[in-house]
Structures are given as structure tokens and as C-alpha cells.
Amino acid sequence: MRMLLIHSDYLEYEVKDKALKNPEPISEEQRKGRLDEVLAVFISVERVDETNPEEVVEKALTEIKDVAGQVKASRVFVYPFAHLSSELAKPDVALDVLRKLEERLREEGFEVKRAPFGYYKAFKLSCKGHPLAELSRTIVPTGEVKAEEVPEALKKEEELVSYWYILTPEGELIEVDKFDFTGHENLRKFANYEISKSRIADREPPHVRIMLDHELVDYEPGSDPGNLRYYPKGRLIKGLLEQYVTEKVVEYGAMEVETPIMYDFEHPALEKYLNRFPARQYVVKSGDKKFFLRFAACFGQFLIKKDATISYRHLPLRMYELTRYSFRREKSGELSGLRRLRAFTMPDMHTVAKDLKQAMAEFKKQYKLSMEVLKGVGLTPEDYEVAIRFTRDFWEANKDFVVELARIIGKPVLIEMWDQRFFYFILKFEFNFVDNLDKAAALSTVQIDVENAQRFGITYYDEEGKEKHPLILHCSPSGAIERVMYAILEKQAKLQAKGVKPMLPLWLSPIQVRVIPVSDEVLDYALYVAGKLEGAKIRVDVDDTGDRLNKKIRKAEKEWIPYVIVVGRNEKEQNTITVRRRSDGKQVEMQLEDLIKEIRSQTEGFPYKPRPLPLLLSKRPKFRG
């Protein structure tokens, strides 16, 4: 069980919608509630609690009594809050624990209110703000505490001393606390996030509601948390992004390969690398051997390069794999929708460079490639912040190069500097998206690796025929595909909050055109129009349901359909179409060929996949609710 205890002037809630198929039955009176001068206890009941629910209730009671005594609170508000954990107990167990805890608190003399379980709720809270006002507790049944295997890099990362600066495009390096963030509010949020190192999401980010409502992606209760299921529309978007990034990287000059997802824990080079990479592993046992699931494509590509005969004439040599999937056992509280997962799809390119000069030239090219890739998915430099990380020695020797990176992006960037190198890289950048909860997530990244060629025995033959160890660049020009989806949806949530109609880039829209016949007598013409569009490789569907016209149009609006064609008797007789554009809200009468040209002009150069669902809306299942 995880608890967040907040001593509050008041806490009030209002039920908005069901979060579970079968939520706790409640009366009309229970749809709203409030307590003043209260200890608010936000609770996530976890899977591990199922081993001994009674013990968990008693331990929680003890902790709440202790905190209530310290803050002199006689009222307790028990508030189910699933977002404190991603390893939740079964709903029936969780509800039983909450009910018993409510009962035990009453027996101890507290005035108690409990918010309903299994609903989305809006709440308002006023924290008192004294030193004991905000406390957190973790409760685990006896015998369930297990030591986690943590890589040495994660332990050391917590001990590293970082120096934080802002670098301007003019080359001025300013300490973070002395920089004027006026006009750079997003950069301020990013800097605060990075320096605080607080990764836990305390509430649901907006993109989660979007991905669920649009039936794109959903949680998979039958798997480990952080492993998701993709419905047809979500799979189409993900597949198009995978294809787009792969095409851009291959066009850039990378050779595509495929490598295993599981590796021997005792392989000497891999074992050393594991302790140099700050990520938690999934461990798999087979017989008497221990394996780990990859967290990047490094291992497989390094082992290929080790066995290859490479000449200086081949350099820079680029190799690429789209890893479906990579695995990192992130902490449960850090898992959050598409933002941070345990299984994710990573476009991963590794480049062999003969020396630092060649590596830095390649680094700059891949920096620009990453900007180009993000632009294609609708993310411009205004949407993300840049972090550049290096040692003090690297800065002193390469100031002009680093300043040029800030100049290319055209705005101030965050600098993290260390007195000495611990990681395997000497230089790294990331493009980071800052979401609606002011949390940041890295998208594109490139690193110059100075260790692993030697560790894995990777060599090349120089001009004199001598074997040398190269440098290696690690590059993901987009970041994880799931995280790109997260950034796209979070950006649309920001725009929606400003009153702008949200919409996906046209090439990524699962349905690009919806044809709505005003009556059954023109359904044949609607199907004719749809056939012509489909023949032009445009994703189109037909709303043949019995709903009224206005409801059909509202439905298309809710689904963010970019173009809606309404056809009636006039359109059929005149062989025309009436089109509503979502982008500008205009309704125009036009020829079908002109609409095809308009859509092609916006999707040219991007990958295409056919419609992911049946043509007729009447033939489609509902995947959620």
C-alpha cells in the first residue's frame, strides 16, 4: 500500500465518470463530499497487499493514527488514488481494504469520510503547508520486502554532483539560479524537473484520457505494469511512426539489422556494461543460467561490430534496429501512460567513428536529423527543451562546438556539467518534452561513447593497417515511439486547453476522411465517394448508423476526424461533395479530385497504411466500456 497524507484546511470531491466497468455502487448523495480541517489520506492498494490484507489495514491504521496525532487531526478523509502505484491490487481486494480501514478508523474515534471507489473524480484540496503537512508512507505485508538488484550506475548516479547552467545561443554560460527565465517558462519547468529529480507522477496526465477515449492504447491487466495493449487505431499510429523513423534513418545512411531481445548475464562484456548503464533490468532464468531482457539495441549491435572486419574507409559506419521491444524495470510510481513504460519500442542507431573529430561532426548531423524527425511528427523546437551534458574538461576544450548546438536550436539550453566522467559517454544531448503536469520526458538523444568499443573488442583498421578502437555514437532520432505518441497527445491537450481544436498530423490520423450520408437513399453515393478516396490511398470510412445528422457530425468532431464529407441528394445529382475541414472550421463545396489533391499535398513524403477498421461504422466493435 502507498499512502500520501496531507493535513488540509479542506478536501472536497465530485464524481465525474466511471473508471471501472463495475465501480462501487453509490447513492446520489455520495457523488459529492467534503470535510474541513482534515487529514487527507490518498491511498493505492497494491498487488502485494493481496497476500495479507488484514495486516495491511492494521499497519495503515497505525501510520494514520501516528500522523493524525502529530498534526492534531480528528477527521480523516480516505481517498482511493490509483496513481500512486502501477502495481494495483484487484478491485475487489482494494475496495475491501478501504472499507475495513474506514471501519477501523471509526472504531478508533475518528470522524471519517471515504471517497467512492472506481470513479474518476474531480477534487479540490487546501494543504496547510507546515513541515508535517505532506507525508508519504509505504506499507508492505511481512515477508514481502525483497532487495532489488540495482546496477552500479544507478547507485553512482545518485551520488554524482551536477553543476547546472543555462547556455544562450550567444555563448553565455549562466548559473541556473541567476538566469532570467522571462519568456522561457517551459525551460524553467524543465530545469526544475531535472534538478529536483522527482520522476513520480502524482496524477494522471491528460494524454491518458485521450488514448483511452479514442481507443488507441489501454493498460493490460494480464501483464506486468508498463506493458500496454494497442487497439487498431493506436496500432496504426504506432506502426506509421515506426515506419517513418526507420525510413528517415535508413535514408540517412544506416544499415538495418535485427538482434535478440535476451542476453547472457554472465557474458563478460555485457556484465560490465550492465553496471555502466543506469537502468533496471528484467531478469529471466532458463535452467541454471540467468539472462536479462535488453534495455537497448546496444548489445546486439556491439556484438555484430565485434565480429565484423571494418576499415577506416567504411567510417562513419551506421547500424540501426527498431527494437520491439526494449525493457526497463522502472519504479512503479514512475510509470505513467505512454510517457514511461517497462516495455517500449526504441529506434536505435549506433555509429562507429574513427576519432573525436569525426564523432563530433557526426554528432552535429544527428542533432539536425533529430530536429527533422520531430518536425515531421508535428513537434517543433517550441515544443521541447534541450539538455546537453558533459564534463568540465570537455567544455573547456570544445566550447565553440557546444555553443553551435544552442545556436542551431535557436534558444537557451540546459547544461549539466560534471567535474569528472562516470558514464561511458563524454557528450550527450536530449530533446525533452515538458507535459501538462510539468514533467519532462526525453525524446531524441545522441551520445558519444568512449568506452564500449574497447570493452566489446570492436576495432577498425586505420590507413597504416593497424587495429584501433573507434568511438561509438548512440542515437535515437525520435526517442521511444510510445513517448513520441505521448508528446503528440500532450501537445494537443495543451492546445485544447487554449480553445484550439485538437488534431493529429494528417498522415497519422487513423481516419482521414469520414463520409456521412444524410439518408439511406444516398448511401450508394457515399460508398462511391469512399471508394474513390480509398483508391487514392486515403483512409476513409462511412457513418451508416441510424443516428441523426447532427449527432454523426458531433461524433466525427469528437474523434478528431480531419475531413468530414456530408453527401445528400444535391451532391449525388451534381457529383460534388460538401467538405468540413477541422483545421480551419470551414465548410466548402468542391470536386472530389480537388480534395484528393489537397490531402496528398499534406501527406506526401510520409508513410501510408490502409484503414485499420471496417469501412462501415455499423460493423465496428467497441473496445472499451
Side-chain angles (χ1 to χ4, degrees):
M1 176 186 287
R2 294 180 185 266
M3 298 194 299
L4 178 64
L5 302 98
I6 302 179
H7 192 204
S8 309
D9 296 313
Y10 70 87
L11 170 61
E12 64 179 40
Y13 74 86
E14 180 180 358
V15 169
K16 293 296 185 180
D17 198 1
K18 291 181 181 180
L20 298 174
K21 282 187 177 181
N22 298 301
E24 173 186 14
I26 58 172
S27 64
E28 191 61 34
E29 185 180 345
Q30 290 173 295
R31 296 185 70 82
K32 292 183 179 180
R34 173 177 173 131
L35 268 186
D36 297 316
E37 298 299 324
V38 65
L39 178 63
V41 185
F42 293 85
I43 296 176
S44 283
V45 183
E46 297 185 291
R47 191 179 304 165
V48 69
D49 301 332
E50 295 175 2
T51 61
N52 197 338
E54 291 77 13
E55 180 189 2
V56 170
V57 169
E58 292 305 315
K59 284 186 173 182
L61 176 66
T62 300
E63 294 288 353
I64 294 170
K65 284 172 60 179
D66 178 57
V67 175
Q70 293 181 62
V71 301
K72 297 180 172 55
S74 60
R75 297 188 179 104
V76 176
F77 207 133
V78 177
Y79 199 103
F81 199 66
H83 311 302
L84 295 177
S85 174
S86 64
E87 298 185 341
L88 298 174
K90 296 173 184 174
D92 57 336
V93 175
L95 179 56
D96 186 55
V97 167
L98 293 167
R99 283 172 171 167
K100 286 178 178 175
L101 180 58
E102 177 186 11
E103 182 182 331
R104 291 290 287 116
L105 285 164
R106 283 207 176 90
E107 290 173 1
E108 293 292 328
F110 289 99
E111 181 182 343
V112 185
K113 182 177 283 292
R114 180 173 60 80
F117 178 81
Y119 296 89
Y120 293 113
K121 301 176 287 289
F123 70 84
K124 293 181 182 178
L125 174 145
S126 174
C127 176
K128 288 187 175 292
H130 56 71
L132 294 174
E134 301 174 55
L135 299 169
S136 62
R137 297 287 186 269
T138 299
I139 293 167
V140 183
T142 303
E144 288 298 326
V145 179
K146 295 180 181 177
E148 179 187 18
E149 289 188 43
V150 179
E152 197 63 30
L154 276 174
K155 298 175 186 175
K156 292 292 185 183
E157 188 177 31
E158 295 177 359
E159 300 171 8
L160 282 177
V161 176
S162 296
Y163 301 91
W164 298 94
Y165 303 91
I166 301 298
L167 176 64
T168 70
E170 294 73 36
E172 191 175 3
L173 190 69
I174 305 167
E175 293 178 21
V176 163
D177 58 354
K178 295 178 182 175
F179 181 73
D180 181 4
F181 283 96
T182 304
H184 303 287
E185 291 305 316
N186 220 39
L187 180 59
R188 183 204 301 274
K189 292 174 182 177
F190 174 52
N192 289 341
Y193 175 82
E194 283 293 299
I195 295 169
S196 71
K197 296 188 182 298
S198 174
R199 303 296 185 247
I200 295 176
D202 56 359
R203 61 190 189 276
E204 183 180 87
H207 82 272
V208 173
R209 188 75 261 145
I210 296 172
M211 76 184 198
L212 296 175
D213 287 348
H214 285 249
E215 292 192 334
L216 304 178
V217 190
D218 206 344
Y219 298 110
E220 178 48 75
S223 182
D224 190 41
N227 292 260
L228 304 177
R229 63 167 70 156
Y230 288 79
Y231 299 124
K233 290 192 292 184
R235 178 61 209 136
L236 175 122
I237 294 171
K238 186 167 182 280
L240 285 171
L241 287 168
E242 291 168 349
Q243 188 176 337
Y244 167 70
V245 178
T246 298
E247 287 177 1
K248 297 297 276 187
V249 176
V250 171
E251 180 184 292
Y252 178 70
M255 300 175 287
E256 190 171 7
V257 299
E258 183 175 329
T259 62
I261 67 167
M262 186 169 61
Y263 292 89
D264 186 351
F265 232 113
E266 296 175 3
H267 186 291
L270 298 180
E271 187 177 27
K272 290 176 184 176
Y273 186 56
L274 287 176
N275 274 325
R276 301 292 280 154
F277 196 94
R280 292 171 172 81
Q281 289 88 43
Y282 274 97
V283 179
V284 177
K285 288 187 178 179
S286 178
D288 59 352
K289 290 188 71 67
K290 192 164 71 166
F291 297 85
F292 66 92
L293 300 182
R294 68 179 177 193
F295 43 81
C298 308
F299 321 114
Q301 291 189 30
F302 289 171
L303 293 173
I304 289 176
K305 289 178 173 71
K306 173 186 178 297
D307 293 335
T309 302
I310 303 172
S311 163
Y312 71 93
R313 295 186 182 89
H314 304 141
L315 305 183
L317 186 149
R318 308 174 186 107
M319 197 173 287
Y320 168 80
E321 180 177 4
L322 180 75
T323 68
R324 192 188 303 123
Y325 288 95
S326 292
F327 300 87
R328 299 183 189 178
R329 191 164 173 75
E330 304 284 17
K331 291 180 180 178
S332 60
E334 296 178 353
L335 298 174
S336 179
L338 290 161
R339 173 176 166 265
R340 191 176 286 271
L341 299 167
R342 286 179 170 167
F344 53 93
T345 307
M346 179 66 79
D348 218 345
M349 175 170 67
H350 293 87
T351 304
V352 175
K354 66 179 180 179
D355 53 27
L356 185 58
K357 181 180 178 181
Q358 188 177 73
M360 289 171 64
E362 191 70 11
F363 186 98
K364 188 186 291 186
K365 290 178 184 176
Q366 293 178 11
Y367 185 85
K368 293 178 179 178
L369 171 68
S370 299
M371 292 176 65
E372 183 184 342
V373 168
L374 292 187
K375 182 180 178 182
V377 302
L379 299 172
T380 67
E382 292 180 358
D383 298 314
Y384 52 84
E385 300 300 330
V386 184
I388 307 176
R389 309 174 198 271
F390 43 73
T391 62
R392 197 171 297 279
D393 287 347
F394 185 89
W395 166 251
E396 294 298 335
N398 302 283
K399 285 182 182 178
D400 291 345
F401 179 81
V402 178
V403 172
E404 176 65 13
L405 298 178
R407 194 172 293 126
I408 290 169
I409 205 72
K411 63 179 185 177
V413 303
L414 180 68
I415 299 295
E416 183 177 17
M417 192 183 298
W418 303 291
D419 284 332
Q420 55 187 345
R421 179 178 64 84
F422 169 73
F423 301 109
Y424 53 83
F425 56 83
I426 57 171
L427 174 65
K428 176 183 182 181
F429 89 80
E430 305 130 23
F431 294 156
N432 296 267
F433 184 84
V434 181
D435 64 21
N436 292 273
L437 302 186
D438 296 342
K439 300 290 183 182
L443 300 173
S444 315
T445 184
V446 178
Q447 308 160 14
I448 298 180
D449 176 347
V450 296
E451 288 186 5
N452 283 301
Q454 187 166 355
R455 178 174 292 117
F456 282 81
I458 300 168
T459 61
Y460 75 96
Y461 290 94
D462 69 7
E463 292 89 334
E464 298 175 359
K466 295 179 181 178
E467 271 192 288
K468 289 187 175 179
H469 293 296
L471 300 180
I472 300 174
L473 287 88
H474 303 237
C475 171
S476 182
S478 63
I481 297 296
E482 296 82 356
R483 195 168 279 182
V484 174
M485 293 175 68
Y486 140 86
I488 292 170
L489 296 180
E490 284 284 326
K491 177 179 179 177
Q492 296 311 310
K494 286 184 181 183
L495 293 173
Q496 192 169 25
K498 295 177 182 178
V500 179
K501 282 186 177 181
M503 60 186 299
L504 297 173
L506 185 58
W507 70 276
L508 283 175
S509 296
I511 300 298
Q512 296 164 320
V513 181
R514 174 159 297 166
V515 184
I516 301 177
V518 298
S519 66
D520 287 345
E521 66 181 72
V522 290
L523 178 59
D524 59 340
Y525 184 61
L527 293 171
Y528 164 78
V529 169
K532 286 286 189 181
L533 290 167
E534 197 158 53
K537 292 193 172 181
I538 293 169
R539 289 186 293 276
V540 58
D541 63 15
V542 177
D543 191 342
D544 65 328
T545 63
D547 294 332
R548 292 186 177 183
L549 178 61
N550 285 343
K551 186 173 181 180
K552 289 182 178 183
I553 293 172
R554 285 197 302 272
K555 194 191 318 177
E557 285 280 319
K558 191 176 179 181
E559 293 180 39
W560 301 2
I561 305 294
Y563 291 91
V564 177
I565 297 175
V566 178
V567 295
R569 188 179 299 170
N570 288 340
E571 285 81 8
K572 181 177 180 179
E573 290 173 355
Q574 297 172 21
N575 200 30
T576 61
I577 53 172
T578 300
V579 181
R580 295 170 180 259
R581 287 195 198 95
R582 185 173 180 83
S583 58
D584 59 14
K586 292 181 179 178
Q587 179 172 309
V588 293
E589 187 175 298
M590 62 198 310
Q591 295 296 315
L592 186 56
E593 291 73 18
D594 293 331
L595 176 61
I596 290 171
K597 287 178 185 176
E598 182 175 321
I599 292 173
R600 279 180 170 170
S601 70
Q602 298 175 61
T603 58
E604 190 175 0
F606 292 102
Y608 166 79
K609 285 182 179 291
R611 182 187 63 252
L613 292 162
L615 173 67
L616 301 177
L617 266 64
S618 64
K619 301 293 185 182
R620 293 183 188 175
K622 186 168 177 58
F623 292 99
R624 295 194 78 255

